């Protein structure tokens, strides 16, 4: 079969259209990620943090679980500043990033669990009981509780058939529970703080 000039144009136009659509949806994904991101521990409040960060990437270089990400395609004020997406990889609260940040964008925090519980607040937990296997009766899951460094405080189990309850005031927002949740589109999400992030004194 021979292709005429108009057939070729139609195919080329369809390919270009598909390419533009992919580029557009990739852009939308980036914008959504920026609205939902968590900052590494010890971050200054929004605005101050972006102004203080010199985009040196040292925090990511020393992060053992490699959970710190950057995105060069965000608007200039936010581009290449570090963020964490716990559903992909959560923070293990080692505090290594806070030890190397040269500007104080991430304030130094000692690796002491009691101190971390007091000063770190990366986000707050939001549980969808409709999607949680323990709450909707579809499973006997309590992984979120088992992986939490502050289990029995930030997340507790209650009832004959244990179901998790989250306690935002005791949660540091590390996201280990979100990373562990086996449900598609995790039933537990750590949301960014709208209010000022607690900074170490
Ligand atoms: S505290 Fe440790 S695990 Fe968490 S973001 Fe910093 S370097 Fe990574
Ligand atoms: S180490 Fe500090 S200044 Fe460097 S990229 Fe990370 S937050 Fe920004
Ligand atoms: S409830 Fe989740 S985010 Fe909060 S401290 Fe425990 S594991 Fe981290």
């Amino acid at each position: 079969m021979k292709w005429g000039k108009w057939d070729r144009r139609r195919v080329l136009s369809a390919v270009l259209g598909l390419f533009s659509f992919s580029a557009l949806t990739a852009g939308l994904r980036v914008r959504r990620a920026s609205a939902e991101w968590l900052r590494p521990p010890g971050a200054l409040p929004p605005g101050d943090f972006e102004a203080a960060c010199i985009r040196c990437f040292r925090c990511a270089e020393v992060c053992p679980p490699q959970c710190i990400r950057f995105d060069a395609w965000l608007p200039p004020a936010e581009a290449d500043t570090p963020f964490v997406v716990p559903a992909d990889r959560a923070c293990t609260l080692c505090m290594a990033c806070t030890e190397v940040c040269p500007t104080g964008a991430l304030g130094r925090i000692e690796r002491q669990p009691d101190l971390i519980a007091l000063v770190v607040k990366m986000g707050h937990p939001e549980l969808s009981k409709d999607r949680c296997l323990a709450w909707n009766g579809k499973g006997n899951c309590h992984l979120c509780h088992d992986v939490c460094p502050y289990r029995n405080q930030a997340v507790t189990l209650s009832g004959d058939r244990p179901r998790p309850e989250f306690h935002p005031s005791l949660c540091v927002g590390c996201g280990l529970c979100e990373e562990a949740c086996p449900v598609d589109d995790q039933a537990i999400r750590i949301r960014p703080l709208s209010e000022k992030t607690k900074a170490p004194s």
Side-chain angles (χ1 to χ4, degrees), residues 21 26 31 36 48 81 93 103 115-116 120-121 126 143 146 151 158 161-162 170 175 189 196:
F21 179 73
R31 274 193 288 281
E36 290 180 0
D48 294 347
T81 58
L93 300 174
T103 66
L115 178 67
I116 291 169
V120 171
K121 192 74 181 169
E126 194 177 279
L143 281 170
D146 298 349
R151 60 185 158 273
S158 57
R161 195 170 160 205
L170 300 172
R189 288 280 193 183
K196 200 171 158 181

Side-chain angles (χ1 to χ4, degrees), residues 40-44 49 95 97-99 101 103-110 199-200:
L44 291 172
F49 176 76
M95 300 299 123
C97 54
T98 77
E99 290 163 11
C101 179
T103 66
L106 303 177
R108 191 182 177 96
I109 301 171
E110 306 232 343

Side-chain angles (χ1 to χ4, degrees), residues 25-68:
T25 53
L28 290 175
R29 276 201 301 275
V30 166
R31 274 193 288 281
R32 197 170 60 230
S34 82
E36 290 180 0
W37 62 25
L38 307 181
R39 292 302 191 187
L44 291 172
D48 294 347
F49 176 76
E50 290 79 3
C53 174
I54 57 171
R55 284 70 164 164
C56 68
F57 309 130
R58 286 188 209 171
C59 49
E61 284 168 14
V62 300
C63 177
Q66 298 284 287
C67 69
I68 296 182

Side-chain angles (χ1 to χ4, degrees), residues 80-102:
D80 279 337
T81 58
F83 63 95
V84 176
V85 180
D88 294 340
R89 197 155 294 184
C91 167
T92 56
L93 300 174
C94 71
M95 300 299 123
C97 54
T98 77
E99 290 163 11
V100 298
C101 179

Side-chain angles (χ1 to χ4, degrees), residues 127 129 132 134-135 141 144-145 155-158 162-166:
L127 177 68
K129 291 182 176 174
C132 171
W135 278 93
C141 176
C144 53
H145 171 266
V155 52
T156 53
L157 295 175
S158 57
R163 294 179 297 194
E165 293 276 6
F166 287 82

